[in-house]
Amino acid sequence: MAIKRNKITVVGAGFTGATTALMLAQKELGDVVLVDIPQLENPTKGKALDMLEASPVQGFDSNIVGTSDYADTAGSDIVIITAGVARKPGMSRDDLVNTNAGIVKSVCENVKNHCPDAIVIILSNPVDAMTYTAYQTLGFPKSRVIGQSGVLDTARYCTFIAQELNVSVEDVRGFVLGGHGDDMVPLVRYSSVGGIPIDTLIPADRIEAIVQRTRVGGGEIVNLLGNGSAYYAPAASLVQMTEAILKDKKRIIPVIAYLEGEYGYEDLFLGVPALLGGSGIEKVFELELTAEEKAALDKSAESVRNVIKVVSL
Ligand SMILES: NC(=O)C1=CN([C@@H]2O[C@H](COP(=O)(O)OP(=O)(O)OC[C@H]3O[C@@H](n4cnc5c(N)ncnc54)[C@H](O)[C@@H]3O)[C@@H](O)[C@H]2O)C=CC1
Ligand SMILES: O=C([O-])CC(=O)C(=O)O
């Protein structure tokens, strides 16, 4: 039997989508199909061709095509959804909900028809609610509908810890739970550097400053860019999740998962630590939380629930 390459579709060929497509190809995780709306078909084809023409220089053998035709996505193993508008300074992610819910819904109808067996990863914001919309529209099992927030939020948190201590990012471990909003919950108690708990290395007031900076990390980039939001670290996060699935790595990383009783929440998508492998989300881990941590998670869950109410009306 011939061994086939993985096929990965990235919907939305904007900043995050295009960057993700290039990073996936550079890592040779599979052939990449980049999809955008028909009005942007030529620029999408152009971006894909430009990336492909980098392959002889960088020595990767992934194919990359641009299209607006979902027939080209048929049989994808993974579909990554980045379609939608990004926020500008002064906006919250939740301000995007009405526009992006319509976009995510229409994208998911196509995904359902053309890639019924795919594992779907959602990036579009407000991402917890958009993952809920995707789940409702796709009708796929919960293990195959996954939102991206925790890898990125944790990456920001770990960046700031490494900067604070002037140590390698490779030795920093942490977890950010909850919704992808300003009340997300970086878990200090579960954070360490080279196995050493960070609260023995960093003074409490500096830890608090790192936690606060992490919570508004997306907004910090939005304010600096002026006309859009982060895309390099978000793309890297999507690639890590894709790699964990396609290589069946069984990684334990925070992702947005559908909860049915875990942490006491029902019918909610929220960022929690999960085991990511070849079947998608293979397990959700319930960490023991202090009363203070649980109260912070409850607050974040409530914010997500309020946005989900808007999309499920
Ligand atoms: N969850 C997370 O951690 C993050 C989420 N985001 C979100 O990801 C989304 C995309 O961000 P960017 O790539 O920076 O925006 P962008 O504006 O650069 O790209 C979005 C692309 O989606 C396309 N699009 C719109 N409707 C479409 C449809 N129906 N079908 C296919 N493509 C469609 C647009 O034409 C555009 O090319 C935003 O909603 C942003 O807020 C961005 C970074 C991190
Ligand atoms: O902040 C935004 O709007 C984009 C995003 O979700 C992030 O970078 O965390």
Side-chain angles (χ1 to χ4, degrees):
M1 193 183 77
I3 293 172
K4 288 208 309 215
R5 286 195 201 172
N6 297 318
K7 182 169 175 179
I8 309 161
T9 286
V10 180
V11 186
F15 285 111
T16 55
T19 310
T20 304
L22 180 60
M23 287 184 181
L24 290 168
Q26 284 170 328
K27 287 184 80 105
E28 293 186 321
L29 287 177
D31 290 334
V32 180
V33 181
L34 188 58
V35 185
D36 211 296
I37 52 176
Q39 298 89 311
L40 291 179
E41 179 160 281
N42 277 340
T44 305
K45 285 185 190 302
K47 284 184 192 184
L49 181 59
D50 188 15
M51 288 180 210
L52 189 65
E53 289 167 357
S55 66
V57 183
Q58 294 202 312
F60 60 83
D61 276 314
S62 294
N63 192 30
I64 312 170
V65 294
T67 185
S68 65
D69 182 353
Y70 279 87
D72 296 328
T73 72
S76 294
D77 301 286
I78 306 256
V79 176
I80 298 172
I81 300 178
T82 76
V85 291
R87 64 176 163 152
K88 296 191 166 58
M91 294 171 78
S92 83
R93 296 180 181 90
D94 297 348
D95 293 335
L96 309 171
V97 65
N98 288 318
T99 309
N100 285 353
I103 292 172
V104 168
K105 208 161 175 247
S106 81
V107 168
C108 286
E109 264 145 20
N110 283 304
V111 173
K112 183 180 177 170
N113 289 335
H114 294 271
C115 310
D117 299 321
I119 294 173
V120 181
I121 306 175
I122 294 96
L123 186 81
S124 315
N125 270 320
V127 64
D128 304 274
M130 292 306 97
T131 309
Y132 192 92
T133 298
Y135 179 63
Q136 281 192 320
T137 312
L138 291 163
F140 290 2
K142 63 180 181 179
S143 56
R144 290 203 277 124
V145 186
I146 313 167
Q148 189 306 118
S149 65
V151 177
L152 173 62
D153 298 330
T154 303
R156 288 182 175 139
Y157 179 57
C158 292
T159 302
F160 303 148
I161 292 171
Q163 278 183 338
E164 180 74 20
L165 293 171
N166 193 22
V167 297
S168 168
V169 289
E170 286 188 57
D171 293 325
V172 184
R173 290 283 177 273
F175 257 123
V176 179
L177 301 190
H180 188 50
D182 296 353
D183 46 20
M184 67 180 74
V185 187
L187 278 186
V188 174
R189 242 171 14 99
Y190 285 91
S191 308
S192 60
V193 178
I196 307 165
I198 62 161
D199 56 6
T200 65
L201 298 172
I202 306 176
D205 61 326
R206 290 300 308 153
I207 292 181
E208 186 50 29
I210 289 170
V211 165
Q212 285 309 331
R213 189 176 176 194
T214 301
R215 288 191 164 133
V216 295
E220 180 177 4
I221 306 278
V222 167
N223 288 334
L224 288 168
L225 293 180
N227 191 27
S229 52
Y231 48 102
Y232 295 114
S237 305
L238 290 168
V239 171
Q240 184 184 82
M241 293 168 71
T242 305
E243 184 173 29
I245 296 166
L246 289 176
K247 294 187 179 170
D248 189 27
K249 281 177 78 84
K250 315 277 189 208
R251 292 205 63 177
I252 299 175
I253 50 181
V255 301
I256 299 169
Y258 187 64
L259 302 182
E260 291 175 297
E262 296 94 337
Y263 293 91
Y265 309 128
E266 284 288 348
D267 189 31
L268 186 70
F269 271 97
L270 199 67
V272 291
L275 194 144
L276 217 52
S279 310
I281 295 177
E282 298 185 0
K283 181 180 165 72
V284 167
F285 292 90
E286 283 192 78
L287 302 179
E288 265 183 46
L289 301 178
T290 63
E292 201 183 335
E293 289 161 350
K294 181 65 168 68
L297 192 62
D298 284 347
K299 182 165 178 259
S300 179
E302 193 51 31
S303 303
V304 170
R305 209 178 270 293
N306 286 335
V307 189
I308 287 180
K309 269 188 207 146
V310 176
V311 295
S312 56
L313 285 178

